[in-house]
Amino acid sequence: AQSVTQLDSQVPVFEEAPVELRCNYSSSVSVYLFWYVQYPNQGLQLLLKYLSGSTLVKGINGFEAEFNKSQTSFHLRKPSVHISDTAEYFCAVSSVGYDKIIFGKGTRLHILP
Amino acid sequence: KAGVTQTPRYLIKTRGQQVTLSCSPISGHRSVSWYQQTPGQGLQFLFEYFSETQRNKGNFPGRFSGRQFSNSRSEMNVSTLELGDSALYLCASSLRTGSEQYFGPGTRLTVT
């Protein structure tokens, strides 16, 4: 069975500064990895996904993530955040073979002016 | 393509009542999953349906049930509502189990 851990429940960062949201996973088989964003009072929106191929994945709104198999990590990064990036971010994993998706507990990104 | 729709968007019920929430997936998607989201417990998986069959189930009491119809639309039902059932209920659809999910806006249920 797979699991996913988001190491930080909250991350404060100044506007226009870079940010990294950390995600580690555990699985005995190959995985698919996802990052979702949830803005206040909305559903979750897919930011980006890793299925196979290049380990650097680019998503919407300037976000990117790097799949590191040896570290079993899939950290999300953005070089310069904006106040509109204030949201909760969820990392998710599913095993190849189409087992259900497992979500992390989420990381709240607070943008400081 | 139209996104995932959930009805109603907001609902207020009294303790002891029952409630039915509806979800229409993206056209062509056969998997529908339901989640409960609360400030204290975060995002918790309820169940997943694929081609009218329950594929996976989370750790919720039997008061929570669901079903899926032949057109992939899904409903979830909560009987004998408790105050702790107040939450945002999210529905997500996907092509198949384990592939990327697309979420609806949610139904905000308040139990008084």
Side-chain angles (χ1 to χ4, degrees), chain A residues 23-25 33 66-75:
Chain A
C23 172
N24 285 92
Y25 70 91
L33 293 156
E66 185 155 19
F67 170 57
N68 188 320
K69 190 174 180 179
S70 62
Q71 305 273 343
T72 60
S73 67
F74 191 56
H75 300 333

Side-chain angles (χ1 to χ4, degrees), chain A residues 18 25 39 50 105:
Chain A
Y25 70 91
Y39 299 105
Y50 171 80
K105 293 188 178 299

